[in-house]
Each structure stands twice: as C-alpha cells, then as structure tokens.
Amino acid sequence: LAAIYQEIQKAEQAIEELESMFKSLNEQDEKQLQELALEGRQTIDQKINTLYTNLVPKEKYDNNDVILEVISGRTTGADYGGPRHAAAQTSGDNVYKHLKYEGGIHRVQQIPEVGLSSRMQRIHTRTMSVIVLPQPDEVDVIGPQDLRIDTFRAKGAGGQHVNTTDSAVRLVHIPTGLVVECQQERSQIKNKEIALRVLRARLYQQMIEKDKHQQQSARKLQVGTRAQSERIWTYNFTQDRVTDHRITYEVRDIEEFLYGEKCLDQLIQRLLQSANEEAIAELLDENL
C-alpha cells in the first residue's frame, strides 16, 4: 500500500509539473501543445485512478445502470417554459460510477435571446435538480399490495390535451408515499412500465442511503458526501465557463464541455480522484 501511495504522489507531482509548464507557454506554443498537454494530463489522471482503485474498495453499486431524472427549478430574469421533468435510462459498464457525481443542483447563467425587450437584456439564472439513481438488478422491491395505480389524460402546455384517452399513469407506493407520474408515451402500458422503473430506482436509492448511513464514519458525517449536494455545477455562458463548486475546477469552453468528450471525461476523472482521496482519508481515520 505504501508503494502504491508513493506512485500516486509521483503521478500527482507530474501533473503539477505539466500544469506549471503549460502556464509558462506563450500563445503560439499554447495552440500547438494544448492538445498534447491535455492528453498527457488525461493519461496521468487515468493512472492515478487505477492506482487508487487498488487502495479503495469498489463501491457496491458502481456497475449498476442508471435512472437519471432532471427536475426544473427556480428561474430569475425570464421564464421560457418548457418541460419541468424528464427521466432517462442509461446502460453500460460502470454507469453509476461515472454519473453518480452529477446528482445535485445545476445552475445556468446566460443572457436571454436577442429580440426580447431591453429590460430583459440581463443575465438570468435557471436551476435544475439532477437525480442519479442506480437501477436495481432484477430485485423486485415492490409488492402488488403496496401499489396504487391511477390513470388520467396526458396534458401539454397550457392545458391542451395531448390525447383523448387516459394514457398517463400515476403510481403511489403506499408504504412510503412516493409518487411517480409518466405521460411521455401514448400507450398506458408503456407509461406504466417507465413509471415502475423510476419508482423501483427511487426505492432502491432509499435502501442504498440507509445502507450507507449505517456504514458512515464520524468523519463522513462531518465532511458529508458529494451526492445530491447543493449547486454542484454552474454553466456561465456569458463568461464561457463551467465551474464545479465541489473541487473548485473550471472549464473555459462551454461548447466543448457540452458537445465534446474530453472536457467532461477529464472532470469526471477529477471527481473520481477526489472521491478516492476522501475515501483513503476515511480509511486512515478508521485504522490509525
């Protein structure tokens, strides 16, 4: 373990040297070497995460698929309407491991579109909650006696009927009071299937949180966990900047962050590294 930790320190020192070299480049050199330096940084980050994997036990739910929910929050400056809630299922290898730190409050700051009145030409802020739920592995956490199913007509903006049948579904989990609605499909059967997936994921998350709470050390209770923390990311379009408030990390190209792969992957690697460092500190607290 000591040898692995020494390798981690050497790799972190290499990152500091790389960043120091990058800061000393002039503008012409920067354009030529920026991509090379970024690839070098990613290689070292991956090595550090691999080393940390040998130190930190793998979390129980890291390999699970994910239900990702987005819920519209507070808006200041202008209200553009649009969907208030959406949910998506994501499958693959180690999905929860790589997406779990996106859970929390995401804040967007931008200037409204050209064409609005002059009094609205100011920065306005929108927030939304992102919830990342590990999907249960073939575990039925819902008994038929625990469920109440209501159907109603799906509605669109302004109260317009999307269709004239009772295709929308509302599920109520009687023991916990959890409520899930789905009206995105025209078929009541499909809406029920989607709502059940979301409900199972939410109940599964409650089981996970209870399990984690029982295992939390005194340090974790004081420091807290990053999951579902307040205002984790800010997307500032006026300054072309994305900020992660948990690790004080900035990306200076929003377009690349949103539509590219390297910037987001790099941020996820930094978050995983920071979480591993915290886990190691906790292990040291428990064993010293």
Side-chain angles (χ1 to χ4, degrees), residues 228-282:
Q228 315 304 333
S229 60
E230 289 293 316
R231 201 189 66 172
I232 61 168
W233 285 355
T234 292
Y235 309 82
N236 190 317
F237 283 85
T238 60
Q239 298 179 11
D240 195 27
R241 170 174 54 84
V242 179
T243 303
D244 188 294
H245 299 285
R246 297 160 296 183
I247 58 175
T248 319
Y249 181 79
E250 290 188 354
V251 175
R252 283 289 178 175
D253 189 338
I254 285 186
E255 292 295 319
E256 173 63 25
F257 182 82
L258 293 177
Y259 302 112
E261 294 181 2
K262 291 184 178 179
C263 289
L264 180 59
D265 284 345
Q266 186 177 3
L267 174 56
I268 288 174
Q269 292 299 324
R270 291 287 292 270
L271 286 167
L272 290 172
Q273 180 181 331
S274 179
N276 284 333
E277 290 171 355
E278 187 175 294
I280 287 175
E282 183 183 350

Side-chain angles (χ1 to χ4, degrees), residues 100-117:
K100 59 187 175 183
Y101 297 121
E102 292 194 34
I105 305 299
H106 292 233
R107 182 175 69 169
V108 177
Q109 294 178 310
Q110 62 187 149
I111 295 175
E113 298 174 4
V114 176
L116 296 176
S117 60

Side-chain angles (χ1 to χ4, degrees), residues 39-89:
E39 288 178 1
R41 173 61 191 261
Q42 288 177 329
T43 300
I44 298 173
D45 275 338
Q46 289 172 358
K47 179 181 179 181
I48 289 174
N49 282 325
T50 301
L51 291 168
Y52 271 124
T53 300
N54 295 325
L55 286 176
V56 182
K58 182 180 177 181
E59 285 200 19
K60 183 177 179 180
Y61 312 100
D62 276 353
N63 200 40
N64 286 45
D65 293 340
V66 156
I67 295 288
L68 190 148
E69 291 188 79
V70 179
I71 303 170
S72 177
R74 182 175 57 87
T75 300
T76 59
D79 188 359
Y80 290 107
R84 298 293 179 182
H85 177 268
Q89 180 182 3

Side-chain angles (χ1 to χ4, degrees), residues 6-24:
Q6 286 175 353
E7 284 192 63
I8 290 172
Q9 289 180 315
K10 288 179 183 178
E12 289 176 343
Q13 184 178 353
I15 285 179
E16 291 178 4
E17 292 172 356
L18 192 65
E19 289 179 342
S20 177
M21 180 192 71
F22 190 71
K23 290 177 182 178
S24 65

